[in-house]
Amino acid sequence: MATLPEQCEVVVVGGGVIGVSVAYHLAEVGITDVVLLERKELTSGTTWHAAGLVGQLRTSINMTQLARYTSELYRGLEAETGQATGYRQCGSISIAATAERFEELKRSASMAKVFGLEVNVLSVPEIAERYPLIRTDDLFGGIHIPSDGYANAVDITQALAKGAKSRGARIFTDTKVEAILRDGDQVRGVRTAEGEIRAKYVVICGGMWSRDLAASVGVNLPLHACEHYYVLFESVEGLNPELPVLRDYDACTYYKYDAGKLLVGAFEPSAKPWGMEGISEDFCFDEIAGDFDHFEPVLHDAMKRLPALERAGMQKFFCGPESFTPDVRYHLGEAPELKNCFVAAGLNSIGLQSAGGVGKVTAEWIRDGQPPMDLWSVDVRRNMPFQRNRQYLQSRVSESLGLLYATHYPFRQYETSRGVRKSAIHDRLVAAGACHGEAFGWERPNWYAPAGVEPVYEYSYGRQNWFEHSAAEHRAVREGVALFDQSSFAKFRLEGRDATRVLNPVCANDIDVAPGRVVYTQWLNERGGIEADLTVTRLAEHVYMIVSAAETEVRDFFWLKKHIPDDAHCVLTNVTSAMGVLSIMGPRARDLLQSLTPDDLSHAGFPFATSREIEMGYGYVRASRITFVGELGWELYIPTEFMQDIYDRIVTAGRDQDLVHAGYHALNSLRLEKAYRHWSHDITDEDSPLEAGLEFVIKFDKAGGFIGREALLAQRERGLTRRMVQLRLRDPEPLIYHNEPIWRDGELVGHITSGAYGHELGGAVGLGYVAAEPASADESVLSGHYEVEVACERIMAEVSLRPLYDPDNARIRR
């Protein structure tokens, strides 16, 4: 056995297809001093028993692009390395046994047009012609992706390993990493039984072992193993190698030709967690016993879909473990808790079809020091600390596995591991009729059911059962006054004599303002991309409060923390749990709040973007005059222990003002009417404020500049090649959500980044980037005939660079 080196640039921990792909791509981008360590043999954890599907269509554009790259990589890997891969481009068919599923598939087919992936919508007769073995009498239709296929996971891994080694990477098997080593807040290598290896970077690709290994150095990596089943049938009548991969989502099953046999696998709705007591040190190419009774109902449905299975022989019933994450999205990127410690794990049974893309972006991230594209949906920084709790994970992953094949309805809510984080007035909101959704562990009121209506979701792609109730909340904000509980806001406190010196260069706006001012700003990266979108309130000369979205609590905290120099005299503290937030919004907001406080809330006495403590009840609350709905209003930051009393007083006083409770669905429709951007949908780390129409909050000339300034100046000099616009469908019936293609004069020019129904505007509204001519961006965008494609049908749309609702901001400044 070769001797381990004492040092290298990158150590990759784990020899499954993900780890080997990372090593391959590191070497490909020029980082050849790579050591991969595998505890047993390559592929011996999960990869060896992968079903081998190589699909490309995902629920988002960037994830589909990564999957597409993976397919293209595998297509040429055998020719590059000389190692057989078993790759076969046979295409895939996904069928729909319900109208809602067919709607989802057609929306996916529309999304695929944005990046040129060929996806064909199939009629029922066309499905029967392409896959004659199945019953089609209950189907509504389907989609066909010609470039999909399958491969042998072990062979793919060996080919990637051969390619990595040919470029200089070194691979060691039977070498367990006993510990990751750290020096303060930075990784410094690993320890094995054969000795230590010093390294600048460590990448955790340990599959179902990753959670515990990461936790040993304080890195949060929530994942848990589940049992995953498939069956091999032999002597299946009519089976031939030309058959495409078949996915019957409504029956939770997939079918794949496998060396003369038919592999039938499943993602059942209620999975069985595995390994609750830990995973044996000897685990290697192991199967687990499984539970045939658990799998039997799925098998019966498979036989109904493909009757030849009833006469075929069952050669093998297989059960093996695979790791799943709380939101069914994998973990990728640099761990916020430990510099230069990267992760690529928790692949949710799509490791083979994701490995190429995962390896590519991980290698580029390490090389460049920043992600090569918007990867927020899989970024490890989205995880909350509580999510590594074992009990939470065991409950949640029983649902996660089944969600892979569940209908991806808009606003679908998790059913497991609920009630983790609650507002101090949670019980009062329940009594008021709140239907809570779950977001980042928080129970948040999404809509309120009136008396006599049960506050539960009935899902569809059309108008769901809460549509009219949310519309009433929306109108109350526009015409009267409403209360939002926004306690889930992420809230940080930065204080110390160097606070301004540290914070101002991070902010694109100028936050060196008088105490009591609220500043809306972005945090940018060196490329000018938007890393965060938030408000900064100066509480005192050396004290700031930073308020961001619940979604980005971990990301934003660590982004600012890493920009605090070691010698700076300031402290950053997460105070999210210390304060609840009630937002009182609408034309009557001032009348309601003025009845509860002796402080002057007039426009002259309390201008927009002002924040101060005011008396209320028996205490004080911080009132900030700001809005995300486009109306007069205040956000009230209330110490948690005062929340119930303040809420009760507002509700009591609100009876005279017809106060309405409003939820997050109304908040979303209100902000989209006003064209307010939402980070992670409309603006991301690959979008600039100039493209997003946010130049009005960029202070190019402030003292000291800001991160990303030079990139923005260069972009402004070149001219913009795309602009964010607001669109309203002229037909009041269709609904848009995200990723719908935008057409201008018959040419595909962009896609919807977020959408909702604009109850005041009388139709669905959305935001999206469209192509522009640098020399005349505004004119080129506003000219032409616009359409938005919804489930393969194009709908005429009105387009605007200014908000369609109250473009002059008159309503928020009165």
Side-chain angles (χ1 to χ4, degrees), residues 429-450:
L429 301 182
V430 170
C435 181
H436 282 89
E438 187 267 350
F440 330 110
W442 285 99
E443 294 293 320
R444 304 198 305 189
N446 281 343
W447 58 280
Y448 288 84

PDB file of all heavy atoms in Angstrom, residues 429-450:
ATOM      1  N   LEU A 429     -52.841  33.089  17.570  1.00  0.00           N
ATOM      2  CA  LEU A 429     -53.038  33.067  16.121  1.00  0.00           C
ATOM      3  C   LEU A 429     -53.846  31.846  15.692  1.00  0.00           C
ATOM      4  O   LEU A 429     -54.675  31.934  14.779  1.00  0.00           O
ATOM      5  CB  LEU A 429     -51.686  33.098  15.407  1.00  0.00           C
ATOM      6  CG  LEU A 429     -50.799  34.309  15.716  1.00  0.00           C
ATOM      7  CD1 LEU A 429     -49.514  34.247  14.911  1.00  0.00           C
ATOM      8  CD2 LEU A 429     -51.533  35.614  15.450  1.00  0.00           C
ATOM      9  N   VAL A 430     -53.619  30.733  16.362  1.00  0.00           N
ATOM     10  CA  VAL A 430     -54.435  29.545  16.098  1.00  0.00           C
ATOM     11  C   VAL A 430     -55.896  29.850  16.398  1.00  0.00           C
ATOM     12  O   VAL A 430     -56.804  29.516  15.622  1.00  0.00           O
ATOM     13  CB  VAL A 430     -53.936  28.342  16.927  1.00  0.00           C
ATOM     14  CG1 VAL A 430     -54.924  27.179  16.846  1.00  0.00           C
ATOM     15  CG2 VAL A 430     -52.564  27.894  16.442  1.00  0.00           C
ATOM     16  N   ALA A 431     -56.139  30.506  17.524  1.00  0.00           N
ATOM     17  CA  ALA A 431     -57.510  30.868  17.894  1.00  0.00           C
ATOM     18  C   ALA A 431     -58.129  31.829  16.892  1.00  0.00           C
ATOM     19  O   ALA A 431     -59.359  31.849  16.705  1.00  0.00           O
ATOM     20  CB  ALA A 431     -57.516  31.486  19.294  1.00  0.00           C
ATOM     21  N   ALA A 432     -57.284  32.620  16.220  1.00  0.00           N
ATOM     22  CA  ALA A 432     -57.780  33.566  15.226  1.00  0.00           C
ATOM     23  C   ALA A 432     -58.023  32.906  13.870  1.00  0.00           C
ATOM     24  O   ALA A 432     -58.451  33.583  12.918  1.00  0.00           O
ATOM     25  CB  ALA A 432     -56.793  34.712  15.070  1.00  0.00           C
ATOM     26  N   GLY A 433     -57.738  31.602  13.758  1.00  0.00           N
ATOM     27  CA  GLY A 433     -57.993  30.875  12.518  1.00  0.00           C
ATOM     28  C   GLY A 433     -56.787  30.651  11.647  1.00  0.00           C
ATOM     29  O   GLY A 433     -56.925  30.276  10.477  1.00  0.00           O
ATOM     30  N   ALA A 434     -55.587  30.839  12.190  1.00  0.00           N
ATOM     31  CA  ALA A 434     -54.384  30.713  11.364  1.00  0.00           C
ATOM     32  C   ALA A 434     -54.198  29.299  10.848  1.00  0.00           C
ATOM     33  O   ALA A 434     -54.337  28.325  11.595  1.00  0.00           O
ATOM     34  CB  ALA A 434     -53.154  31.136  12.168  1.00  0.00           C
ATOM     35  N   CYS A 435     -53.870  29.202   9.579  1.00  0.00           N
ATOM     36  CA  CYS A 435     -53.370  27.950   9.010  1.00  0.00           C
ATOM     37  C   CYS A 435     -51.864  28.131   8.879  1.00  0.00           C
ATOM     38  O   CYS A 435     -51.390  28.900   8.035  1.00  0.00           O
ATOM     39  CB  CYS A 435     -53.992  27.668   7.645  1.00  0.00           C
ATOM     40  SG  CYS A 435     -53.423  26.102   6.933  1.00  0.00           S
ATOM     41  N   HIS A 436     -51.140  27.468   9.749  1.00  0.00           N
ATOM     42  CA  HIS A 436     -49.691  27.653   9.802  1.00  0.00           C
ATOM     43  C   HIS A 436     -48.983  26.806   8.760  1.00  0.00           C
ATOM     44  O   HIS A 436     -49.344  25.642   8.524  1.00  0.00           O
ATOM     45  CB  HIS A 436     -49.160  27.299  11.193  1.00  0.00           C
ATOM     46  CG  HIS A 436     -49.401  28.360  12.220  1.00  0.00           C
ATOM     47  ND1 HIS A 436     -50.554  28.408  12.977  1.00  0.00           N
ATOM     48  CD2 HIS A 436     -48.651  29.422  12.617  1.00  0.00           C
ATOM     49  CE1 HIS A 436     -50.492  29.452  13.798  1.00  0.00           C
ATOM     50  NE2 HIS A 436     -49.355  30.076  13.597  1.00  0.00           N
ATOM     51  N   GLY A 437     -47.968  27.386   8.150  1.00  0.00           N
ATOM     52  CA  GLY A 437     -47.031  26.640   7.336  1.00  0.00           C
ATOM     53  C   GLY A 437     -45.721  26.526   8.096  1.00  0.00           C
ATOM     54  O   GLY A 437     -45.513  27.207   9.109  1.00  0.00           O
ATOM     55  N   GLU A 438     -44.850  25.672   7.601  1.00  0.00           N
ATOM     56  CA  GLU A 438     -43.551  25.499   8.251  1.00  0.00           C
ATOM     57  C   GLU A 438     -42.474  26.085   7.361  1.00  0.00           C
ATOM     58  O   GLU A 438     -42.422  25.819   6.157  1.00  0.00           O
ATOM     59  CB  GLU A 438     -43.273  24.014   8.494  1.00  0.00           C
ATOM     60  CG  GLU A 438     -42.024  23.739   9.318  1.00  0.00           C
ATOM     61  CD  GLU A 438     -40.770  23.500   8.489  1.00  0.00           C
ATOM     62  OE1 GLU A 438     -40.886  23.364   7.259  1.00  0.00           O
ATOM     63  OE2 GLU A 438     -39.681  23.445   9.081  1.00  0.00           O
ATOM     64  N   ALA A 439     -41.637  26.942   7.943  1.00  0.00           N
ATOM     65  CA  ALA A 439     -40.543  27.549   7.199  1.00  0.00           C
ATOM     66  C   ALA A 439     -39.336  27.657   8.106  1.00  0.00           C
ATOM     67  O   ALA A 439     -39.374  28.378   9.109  1.00  0.00           O
ATOM     68  CB  ALA A 439     -40.950  28.932   6.685  1.00  0.00           C
ATOM     69  N   PHE A 440     -38.285  26.872   7.786  1.00  0.00           N
ATOM     70  CA  PHE A 440     -37.015  26.933   8.525  1.00  0.00           C
ATOM     71  C   PHE A 440     -37.258  26.628  10.001  1.00  0.00           C
ATOM     72  O   PHE A 440     -36.610  27.191  10.883  1.00  0.00           O
ATOM     73  CB  PHE A 440     -36.358  28.305   8.334  1.00  0.00           C
ATOM     74  CG  PHE A 440     -36.697  28.911   7.004  1.00  0.00           C
ATOM     75  CD1 PHE A 440     -37.528  30.006   6.892  1.00  0.00           C
ATOM     76  CD2 PHE A 440     -36.229  28.315   5.835  1.00  0.00           C
ATOM     77  CE1 PHE A 440     -37.889  30.515   5.664  1.00  0.00           C
ATOM     78  CE2 PHE A 440     -36.584  28.826   4.604  1.00  0.00           C
ATOM     79  CZ  PHE A 440     -37.401  29.926   4.513  1.00  0.00           C
ATOM     80  N   GLY A 441     -38.202  25.715  10.251  1.00  0.00           N
ATOM     81  CA  GLY A 441     -38.548  25.313  11.601  1.00  0.00           C
ATOM     82  C   GLY A 441     -39.634  26.152  12.234  1.00  0.00           C
ATOM     83  O   GLY A 441     -40.273  25.721  13.194  1.00  0.00           O
ATOM     84  N   TRP A 442     -39.872  27.348  11.717  1.00  0.00           N
ATOM     85  CA  TRP A 442     -40.889  28.241  12.269  1.00  0.00           C
ATOM     86  C   TRP A 442     -42.289  27.814  11.837  1.00  0.00           C
ATOM     87  O   TRP A 442     -42.510  27.452  10.679  1.00  0.00           O
ATOM     88  CB  TRP A 442     -40.671  29.677  11.789  1.00  0.00           C
ATOM     89  CG  TRP A 442     -39.547  30.410  12.439  1.00  0.00           C
ATOM     90  CD1 TRP A 442     -38.286  30.590  11.946  1.00  0.00           C
ATOM     91  CD2 TRP A 442     -39.582  31.079  13.700  1.00  0.00           C
ATOM     92  NE1 TRP A 442     -37.528  31.323  12.820  1.00  0.00           N
ATOM     93  CE2 TRP A 442     -38.292  31.649  13.907  1.00  0.00           C
ATOM     94  CE3 TRP A 442     -40.567  31.269  14.683  1.00  0.00           C
ATOM     95  CZ2 TRP A 442     -37.979  32.382  15.046  1.00  0.00           C
ATOM     96  CZ3 TRP A 442     -40.250  31.993  15.808  1.00  0.00           C
ATOM     97  CH2 TRP A 442     -38.972  32.540  15.992  1.00  0.00           C
ATOM     98  N   GLU A 443     -43.217  27.895  12.761  1.00  0.00           N
ATOM     99  CA  GLU A 443     -44.636  27.820  12.414  1.00  0.00           C
ATOM    100  C   GLU A 443     -45.089  29.238  12.099  1.00  0.00           C
ATOM    101  O   GLU A 443     -45.076  30.116  12.964  1.00  0.00           O
ATOM    102  CB  GLU A 443     -45.438  27.246  13.584  1.00  0.00           C
ATOM    103  CG  GLU A 443     -45.112  25.795  13.909  1.00  0.00           C
ATOM    104  CD  GLU A 443     -45.547  24.831  12.807  1.00  0.00           C
ATOM    105  OE1 GLU A 443     -46.653  25.032  12.242  1.00  0.00           O
ATOM    106  OE2 GLU A 443     -44.791  23.891  12.506  1.00  0.00           O
ATOM    107  N   ARG A 444     -45.484  29.463  10.843  1.00  0.00           N
ATOM    108  CA  ARG A 444     -45.852  30.816  10.425  1.00  0.00           C
ATOM    109  C   ARG A 444     -47.265  30.798   9.824  1.00  0.00           C
ATOM    110  O   ARG A 444     -47.600  29.919   9.030  1.00  0.00           O
ATOM    111  CB  ARG A 444     -44.864  31.362   9.390  1.00  0.00           C
ATOM    112  CG  ARG A 444     -43.433  31.348   9.854  1.00  0.00           C
ATOM    113  CD  ARG A 444     -42.534  32.260   9.058  1.00  0.00           C
ATOM    114  NE  ARG A 444     -42.567  32.006   7.637  1.00  0.00           N
ATOM    115  CZ  ARG A 444     -41.714  32.572   6.762  1.00  0.00           C
ATOM    116  NH1 ARG A 444     -40.779  33.401   7.210  1.00  0.00           N
ATOM    117  NH2 ARG A 444     -41.788  32.314   5.485  1.00  0.00           N
ATOM    118  N   PRO A 445     -48.096  31.782  10.184  1.00  0.00           N
ATOM    119  CA  PRO A 445     -49.458  31.817   9.628  1.00  0.00           C
ATOM    120  C   PRO A 445     -49.423  32.191   8.151  1.00  0.00           C
ATOM    121  O   PRO A 445     -49.031  33.302   7.787  1.00  0.00           O
ATOM    122  CB  PRO A 445     -50.158  32.891  10.461  1.00  0.00           C
ATOM    123  CG  PRO A 445     -49.067  33.734  11.007  1.00  0.00           C
ATOM    124  CD  PRO A 445     -47.856  32.861  11.150  1.00  0.00           C
ATOM    125  N   ASN A 446     -49.806  31.262   7.300  1.00  0.00           N
ATOM    126  CA  ASN A 446     -49.833  31.536   5.864  1.00  0.00           C
ATOM    127  C   ASN A 446     -51.161  32.157   5.422  1.00  0.00           C
ATOM    128  O   ASN A 446     -51.202  32.946   4.481  1.00  0.00           O
ATOM    129  CB  ASN A 446     -49.574  30.262   5.067  1.00  0.00           C
ATOM    130  CG  ASN A 446     -48.106  29.898   5.018  1.00  0.00           C
ATOM    131  OD1 ASN A 446     -47.235  30.721   5.293  1.00  0.00           O
ATOM    132  ND2 ASN A 446     -47.806  28.653   4.677  1.00  0.00           N
ATOM    133  N   TRP A 447     -52.246  31.767   6.091  1.00  0.00           N
ATOM    134  CA  TRP A 447     -53.556  32.354   5.804  1.00  0.00           C
ATOM    135  C   TRP A 447     -54.474  32.072   6.990  1.00  0.00           C
ATOM    136  O   TRP A 447     -54.157  31.256   7.860  1.00  0.00           O
ATOM    137  CB  TRP A 447     -54.153  31.798   4.514  1.00  0.00           C
ATOM    138  CG  TRP A 447     -54.337  30.299   4.464  1.00  0.00           C
ATOM    139  CD1 TRP A 447     -53.383  29.370   4.194  1.00  0.00           C
ATOM    140  CD2 TRP A 447     -55.552  29.562   4.690  1.00  0.00           C
ATOM    141  NE1 TRP A 447     -53.904  28.094   4.240  1.00  0.00           N
ATOM    142  CE2 TRP A 447     -55.231  28.185   4.533  1.00  0.00           C
ATOM    143  CE3 TRP A 447     -56.860  29.919   4.989  1.00  0.00           C
ATOM    144  CZ2 TRP A 447     -56.189  27.181   4.671  1.00  0.00           C
ATOM    145  CZ3 TRP A 447     -57.823  28.919   5.123  1.00  0.00           C
ATOM    146  CH2 TRP A 447     -57.476  27.565   4.966  1.00  0.00           C
ATOM    147  N   TYR A 448     -55.571  32.792   7.031  1.00  0.00           N
ATOM    148  CA  TYR A 448     -56.504  32.674   8.150  1.00  0.00           C
ATOM    149  C   TYR A 448     -57.864  32.224   7.639  1.00  0.00           C
ATOM    150  O   TYR A 448     -58.395  32.774   6.666  1.00  0.00           O
ATOM    151  CB  TYR A 448     -56.637  34.015   8.881  1.00  0.00           C
ATOM    152  CG  TYR A 448     -55.413  34.366   9.691  1.00  0.00           C
ATOM    153  CD1 TYR A 448     -54.321  34.982   9.092  1.00  0.00           C
ATOM    154  CD2 TYR A 448     -55.341  34.072  11.044  1.00  0.00           C
ATOM    155  CE1 TYR A 448     -53.179  35.308   9.820  1.00  0.00           C
ATOM    156  CE2 TYR A 448     -54.205  34.393  11.787  1.00  0.00           C
ATOM    157  CZ  TYR A 448     -53.131  35.006  11.168  1.00  0.00           C
ATOM    158  OH  TYR A 448     -52.010  35.322  11.897  1.00  0.00           O
ATOM    159  N   ALA A 449     -58.392  31.217   8.295  1.00  0.00           N
ATOM    160  CA  ALA A 449     -59.704  30.693   7.934  1.00  0.00           C
ATOM    161  C   ALA A 449     -60.783  31.453   8.694  1.00  0.00           C
ATOM    162  O   ALA A 449     -60.689  31.621   9.913  1.00  0.00           O
ATOM    163  CB  ALA A 449     -59.778  29.208   8.262  1.00  0.00           C
ATOM    164  N   PRO A 450     -61.820  31.913   8.012  1.00  0.00           N
ATOM    165  CA  PRO A 450     -62.922  32.567   8.728  1.00  0.00           C
ATOM    166  C   PRO A 450     -63.719  31.554   9.544  1.00  0.00           C
ATOM    167  O   PRO A 450     -63.528  30.330   9.409  1.00  0.00           O
ATOM    168  CB  PRO A 450     -63.759  33.165   7.597  1.00  0.00           C
ATOM    169  CG  PRO A 450     -63.430  32.345   6.389  1.00  0.00           C
ATOM    170  CD  PRO A 450     -62.016  31.887   6.561  1.00  0.00           C
TER     171      PRO A 450
END
